[in-house]
Amino acid sequence: KTANFIAWLNNMCGISGYLGPKKYLPGKGKIKSLLQSMKRRGPDGHGFFIKNTRHMSMLFAHTRLAIIDLQK
């Protein structure tokens, strides 16, 4: 059952990120390309968050897969 759960989990949402020097932060074109490459992992929504400090940057990008409960 664990293997089945992992296979199911791998088909859900996509998450990616970057943490490092500000000068290496990907541009918006690269971020859009990244989100496009993860689209199959979650075609129902996407977004990204960027936080910059003086020398460092953090990027969090995600795609969302809506789960519909057929039993309700």
Side-chain angles (χ1 to χ4, degrees):
K1 290 188 177 188
T2 303
N4 288 340
F5 175 74
I6 292 171
W8 175 75
L9 187 62
N10 284 338
N11 291 320
M12 290 181 64
C13 303
I15 300 172
S16 183
Y18 168 81
L19 177 63
K22 195 178 201 178
K23 65 182 179 179
Y24 297 120
L25 180 70
K28 288 198 178 187
K30 293 277 186 183
I31 295 170
K32 286 182 180 182
S33 178
L34 170 70
L35 288 168
Q36 185 65 31
S37 71
M38 294 191 306
K39 190 172 183 172
R40 68 176 183 81
R41 312 258 314 156
D44 298 315
H46 65 275
F48 64 92
F49 170 80
I50 297 174
K51 176 71 176 176
N52 291 309
T53 64
R54 189 170 175 182
H55 300 288
M56 300 290 285
S57 290
M58 179 185 76
L59 162 68
F60 174 76
H62 71 91
T63 57
R64 184 180 65 84
L65 176 62
I67 304 295
I68 300 170
D69 187 356
L70 299 176
Q71 296 179 358
K72 288 188 177 186

